[in-house]
């Protein structure tokens, strides 16, 4: 299992997300999966989760080719995905800009620099390096299109969890081993999954949602597109910058610069 650590490597991940899922500057999808375990002795409710099961959590970042880039396994099931992520080395590296992400660059056919980012669900905090969907209440058409475009890339991580559990069916039931042993088994499953994905992709593809009803071609674009200036994204308050970046992405995917011909049919 290898996580990208250089701008060039992250751009290779971005290229597949852009071509397959029409979301440029996306360098991964993150989510958590509960692995059910038998209640350890004298553990009380430490491993008890909201699904009314005892579990440990597998937090994972995956690429668009359904491979694991990073996993953190072993946190108790009572913790939230965001809380677990906040305690990881990955979060600290992203905060400190020490993971090798490329500097902000313009989106395809555009001229305003936008940060590269991981996509997540609403459980995670919005950052310039982590984009998540908007709340569904009082959503406009443009916002709904953005949510759909982002969710198409984000659901890759859910597909990976499905493939993993289908291959290694011990993950479907309640594992009787100790939490540490379950952690070792789950990590081994992730490494073997990557190995199988690299050596034999054909069998895995039948389990993957390819979104076959959509063509992934970009719209016809003008030679010299211009959009309103968003340099403010990279100045001042970090929360404000993240919100401004998401607003810019909403505008971009609904403009002739970043739209795809089928997206109106999804709303």
């Amino acid at each position: 299992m290898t996580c990208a650590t250089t701008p060039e490597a992250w751009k290779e991940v971005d290229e597949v997300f852009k071509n397959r899922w029409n979301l440029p500057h996306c360098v991964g999808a993150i989510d958590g999966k509960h692995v059910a375990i038998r209640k350890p002795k004298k553990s009380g409710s430490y491993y008890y989760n909201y699904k009314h099961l005892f579990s440990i959590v597998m937090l994972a970042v995956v690429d668009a080719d359904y491979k694991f880039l990073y996993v953190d396994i072993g946190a108790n099931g009572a913790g939230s995905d965001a809380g677990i992520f906040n305690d990881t080395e990955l979060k600290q590296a992203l905060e400190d800009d020490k993971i090798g992400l490329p500097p902000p660059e313009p989106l395809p056919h555009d001229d305003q620099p936008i940060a590269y980012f991981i996509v997540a669900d609403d459980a995670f905090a919005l950052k310039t390096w982590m984009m998540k969907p908007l709340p569904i209440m009082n959503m406009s058409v443009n916002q709904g299109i953005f949510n759909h475009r982002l969710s198409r890339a984000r659901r890759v991580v859910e597909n990976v969890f499905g493939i993993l559990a289908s291959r290694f069916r011990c993950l479907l039931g309640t594992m009787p081993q100790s939490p540490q042993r379950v952690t070792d088994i789950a990590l081994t499953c992730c490494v073997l999954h990557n190995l199988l994905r690299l050596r034999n992709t054909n069998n895995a593809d039948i389990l993957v949602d390819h979104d076959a009803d959509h063509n992934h071609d970009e719209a016809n674009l003008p030679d010299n597109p211009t959009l309103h200036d968003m340099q403010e994204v990279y100045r001042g308050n970090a929360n404000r910058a993240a919100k401004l970046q998401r607003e810019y992405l909403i505008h971009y995917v609904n403009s002739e610069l970043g739209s795809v011909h089928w997206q109106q049919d999804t709303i």
Side-chain angles (χ1 to χ4, degrees):
M1 187 183 304
T2 302
C3 185
T5 57
T6 65
E8 294 75 20
W10 284 116
K11 285 184 178 182
E12 290 180 7
V13 178
D14 159 59
E15 191 69 17
V16 184
F17 271 107
K18 180 178 67 176
N19 294 335
R20 186 173 294 177
W21 300 114
N22 306 112
L23 192 65
H25 281 213
C26 178
V27 293
I30 187 171
D31 201 4
K33 171 182 171 57
H34 286 268
V35 180
I37 62 172
R38 186 169 60 190
K39 180 182 180 296
K41 293 180 180 180
K42 300 180 180 180
S43 63
S45 60
Y46 185 69
Y47 291 96
Y48 196 65
N49 65 32
Y50 70 97
K51 298 181 178 181
H52 308 298
L53 300 169
F54 295 92
S55 67
I56 62 170
V57 177
M58 175 192 300
L59 187 73
V61 179
V62 306
D63 65 16
D65 197 35
Y66 305 90
K67 296 190 299 293
F68 290 99
L69 294 173
Y70 172 91
V71 294
D72 182 275
I73 307 174
N76 68 82
S80 66
D81 290 348
I84 293 167
F85 173 68
N86 288 339
D87 292 332
T88 63
E89 294 180 356
L90 176 64
K91 164 69 180 308
Q92 194 60 50
L94 287 164
E95 289 277 14
D96 297 340
D97 195 21
K98 293 182 178 178
I99 200 169
L101 286 179
E105 295 178 345
L107 296 163
H109 315 289
D110 197 14
D111 60 359
Q112 304 299 325
I114 292 293
Y116 287 80
F117 53 82
I118 297 169
V119 289
D121 62 22
D122 196 52
F124 294 84
L126 183 69
K127 303 285 186 179
T128 54
W129 42 261
M130 183 171 288
M131 291 286 103
K132 67 177 187 176
L134 292 125
I136 61 174
M137 294 294 292
N138 302 317
M139 183 179 297
S140 68
V141 172
N142 285 358
Q143 290 172 335
I145 288 172
F146 166 78
N147 272 13
H148 180 76
R149 294 277 297 271
L150 185 143
S151 295
R152 291 177 72 240
R154 189 198 62 79
R155 73 186 182 194
V156 171
V157 66
E158 298 176 358
N159 292 341
V160 172
F161 287 147
I163 296 170
L164 185 74
S166 296
R167 276 181 167 153
F168 305 102
R169 302 186 70 83
C170 61
L171 300 176
L172 292 174
T174 300
M175 301 184 70
Q177 295 87 356
S178 68
Q180 183 56 55
R181 183 60 61 85
V182 173
T183 297
D184 294 341
I185 293 171
L187 179 58
T188 302
C189 291
C190 293
V191 173
L192 290 173
H193 165 89
N194 275 14
L195 180 64
L196 292 170
R197 184 68 191 165
L198 288 168
R199 291 190 175 182
N200 186 8
T201 61
N202 292 332
N203 290 337
D205 285 343
I206 63 174
L207 301 172
V208 174
D209 177 6
H210 283 293
D211 210 0
D213 293 334
H214 294 151
N215 291 323
H216 298 245
D217 299 331
E218 296 180 357
N220 292 325
L221 301 169
D223 293 332
N224 297 301
T226 59
L227 290 177
H228 63 283
D229 186 84
M230 288 291 292
Q231 296 298 329
E232 184 184 353
V233 170
Y234 302 104
R235 296 196 297 266
N237 183 275
N239 291 334
R240 176 65 175 160
K243 291 179 180 179
L244 285 170
Q245 177 169 305
R246 184 166 65 179
E247 288 299 317
Y248 188 77
L249 288 169
I250 293 169
H251 177 84
Y252 176 81
V253 301
N254 285 281
S255 72
E256 62 180 356
L257 305 177
S259 64
V260 286
H261 67 85
W262 45 260
Q263 64 186 30
Q264 292 291 339
D265 299 332
T266 65
I267 305 301

